[in-house]
Amino acid sequence: MELKVLKKTDTEIIIEIIGEDDTLGNLIAKEAMKHPKVVYASYRIPHPLQNKLEIMIDVEPGADINEVLLEITENIRKFLREFKKEVEEKL
């Protein structure tokens, strides 16, 4: 996986991730939309023959986009740890 920031302003970030697909894009976009300071979040696959995706996140004016992004990723990590624990207990 390779990550590039294509655009970053005070309220918007567009990240390109090479080597990933809809699975990761959907996970990040859906988790981002749960964040109270996120106004808009989505992802797209620019071209089906290219192995990359772009994630777009817009936050409320005054929100720290870096902080919001860190909170989103930490929420995903927490969910995955809990999911792994649950699966291990059931198996």
Side-chain angles (χ1 to χ4, degrees):
M1 174 172 59
E2 182 182 334
L3 188 135
K4 284 194 246 179
V5 176
L6 300 179
K7 179 180 179 183
K8 184 177 178 198
T9 66
D10 290 341
T11 59
E12 176 186 25
I13 191 164
I14 300 175
I15 301 169
E16 177 183 78
I17 303 175
I18 299 170
E20 294 296 334
D21 58 19
D22 292 286
T23 304
L24 184 62
N26 193 40
L27 177 65
I28 294 171
K30 289 211 180 234
E31 187 62 37
M33 286 304 298
K34 294 178 186 177
H35 195 286
K37 294 182 180 177
V38 171
V39 175
Y40 173 79
S42 69
Y43 79 96
R44 71 184 193 109
I45 306 292
H47 192 279
L49 296 178
Q50 295 175 336
N51 191 21
K52 65 182 176 180
L53 69 99
E54 294 175 1
I55 298 171
M56 293 79 67
I57 299 175
D58 292 342
V59 297
E60 296 174 347
D64 183 344
I65 191 116
N66 295 331
E67 206 172 282
V68 170
L69 193 54
L70 288 173
E71 289 172 9
I72 292 165
T73 56
E74 185 53 41
N75 288 343
I76 291 169
R77 290 177 65 173
K78 180 182 175 190
F79 169 77
L80 291 174
R81 280 192 301 268
E82 291 171 3
F83 179 74
K84 179 183 175 193
K85 181 181 175 191
E86 187 76 21
V87 168
E88 288 172 345
E89 288 174 1
K90 301 296 180 191
L91 296 178

